[in-house]
Amino acid sequence: MVHIVWTTKNREHLLNSDIRKQVFDHIRENAITKGIYLNFINGWFEHVHCLISLGSGQNIDKILMLLKGESTYWINRIIFNEEI
């Protein structure tokens, strides 16, 4: 298992309670779609924790790109442009 933590840019408190639930749900759905076993996800206003089991052929760099990179893109596009 791997414990991954990432923060918002400049550790800004962007993940309020409404947004945080949407972000965590999106990360969970994205992990399922990408074949990533996400054991646990949680966080606070400025960071996210994920506990992940790596499958064969998966590495931390790829997992981070698929989860963190995609969720950052999604947040900027959907949440902060209020397209939901």
Side-chain angles (χ1 to χ4, degrees), residues 21-73:
K21 180 179 177 355
Q22 291 179 59
V23 170
F24 292 171
D25 289 346
H26 176 76
I27 291 172
R28 275 189 205 95
E29 291 169 12
N30 186 38
I32 291 168
T33 301
K34 303 289 194 278
I36 299 166
Y37 186 72
L38 181 62
N39 301 70
F40 185 78
I41 186 169
N42 206 342
W44 201 236
F45 293 112
E46 81 292 341
H47 71 278
V48 175
H49 291 264
C50 290
L51 189 60
I52 297 168
S53 294
L54 293 177
S56 61
Q58 293 179 329
N59 62 55
I60 295 171
D61 291 341
K62 185 70 170 176
I63 297 297
L64 275 172
M65 181 183 75
L66 293 172
L67 293 183
K68 180 190 176 294
E70 195 283 334
S71 65
T72 299
Y73 174 79

Side-chain angles (χ1 to χ4, degrees), residues 13-27:
H13 287 206
L14 300 175
L15 301 174
N16 65 41
S17 57
D18 297 330
I19 292 173
R20 195 165 47 242
K21 180 179 177 355
Q22 291 179 59
V23 170
F24 292 171
D25 289 346
H26 176 76
I27 291 172

